[in-house]
Amino acid sequence: MYYGEIKKNDIANGEGVRVSLFVSGCRNCCPGCFNQETWSFCYGQEFTSATEEEILSALTPVHISGLSVLGGEPFEPENQEVLAPFLRRVREKFPQKNIWCFTGCVLEKDILSPAGRCHTDFTEDMVSSIDVLVDGPFIETEKDLGLQFRGSKNQRIIKAPSRG
């Protein structure tokens, strides 16, 4: 897996001050996407064990509320294979911090359904680590700059999708 950027003091992609990981690779290719360069699966740098350690270290300060994972598309099958164990590690090391994930997929249709485009053997593990999921494709005709933590009206903020 590759990633485009790590922001260590992000206030735009979830509640509080966060560490944000922008993964590479997206097949959704939403028109008007704010981060088109991350559509390529080879954009940026390779996600390595050193990258994991860098993020874990950045999550340590008490003022950091948690981790946000964006893209690209975190739920692309190739990304889930790397993210699922990493998110589990974050959850175990920082149980008091929360994990937000932003996806252009729809939870019920694309992620949780066994027939969904992004459902893999890693999906359940990945979803179970997430506290807040912002789902749905960006739709340019539904763009609304007044929305918090999302770009278009169709997108949803779902708390603890794995727990109900």
Side-chain angles (χ1 to χ4, degrees), residues 3 10 14 29 43 46-47 49 54 59 61 74 87 89 95 99 101 112 131 136 143 159 164:
Y3 69 97
D10 188 2
C29 301
Y43 175 76
E46 187 173 357
F47 188 88
S49 58
E54 178 184 353
L59 285 165
L87 294 181
R89 188 172 175 208
I99 298 173
C101 185
L112 295 180
D131 295 292
K143 181 178 180 176
K159 296 195 178 192

Side-chain angles (χ1 to χ4, degrees), residues 57-78:
S57 177
L59 285 165
T60 301
V62 70
H63 75 277
I64 299 294
S65 299
L67 174 69
S68 292
V69 182
L70 310 88
E73 175 55 64
F75 277 96
E76 288 293 356
E78 300 90 329

Side-chain angles (χ1 to χ4, degrees), residues 18-71:
R18 317 186 62 71
V19 175
S20 291
L21 169 67
F22 291 80
V23 301
S24 297
C26 183
R27 293 183 180 93
N28 296 325
C29 301
C30 302
C33 173
F34 81 100
N35 211 6
Q36 291 183 17
E37 61 274 3
T38 63
W39 292 357
S40 167
F41 282 84
C42 295
Y43 175 76
Q45 302 174 60
E46 187 173 357
F47 188 88
T48 65
S49 58
T51 311
E52 284 194 22
E53 294 307 319
E54 178 184 353
I55 293 170
L56 292 172
S57 177
L59 285 165
T60 301
V62 70
H63 75 277
I64 299 294
S65 299
L67 174 69
S68 292
V69 182
L70 310 88

Side-chain angles (χ1 to χ4, degrees), residues 62-137:
V62 70
H63 75 277
I64 299 294
S65 299
L67 174 69
S68 292
V69 182
L70 310 88
E73 175 55 64
F75 277 96
E76 288 293 356
E78 300 90 329
N79 292 338
Q80 287 186 54
E81 186 171 356
V82 175
L83 287 173
F86 174 62
L87 294 181
R88 186 175 349 104
R89 188 172 175 208
V90 170
R91 169 72 57 225
E92 289 168 0
K93 184 163 178 144
F94 301 103
Q96 75 283 14
K97 300 194 186 241
N98 58 57
I99 298 173
W100 283 52
C101 185
F102 293 74
T103 177
C105 299
V106 176
L107 179 64
E108 299 83 2
K109 175 184 158 210
D110 302 314
I111 297 170
L112 295 180
S113 169
R117 180 183 84 72
C118 290
H119 188 85
T120 73
D121 291 342
F122 302 98
T123 302
E124 186 175 312
D125 194 25
M126 189 165 152
V127 171
S128 71
S129 294
I130 296 168
D131 295 292
V132 178
L133 182 74
V134 180
D135 85 334

Side-chain angles (χ1 to χ4, degrees), residues 136-140 142-144 147 150-156:
F138 173 74
I139 299 176
E140 203 162 17
E142 295 190 35
K143 181 178 180 176
D144 184 342
L147 296 172
R150 54 206 164 115
S152 59
K153 293 177 186 174
N154 64 295
Q155 294 172 317
R156 304 179 295 172

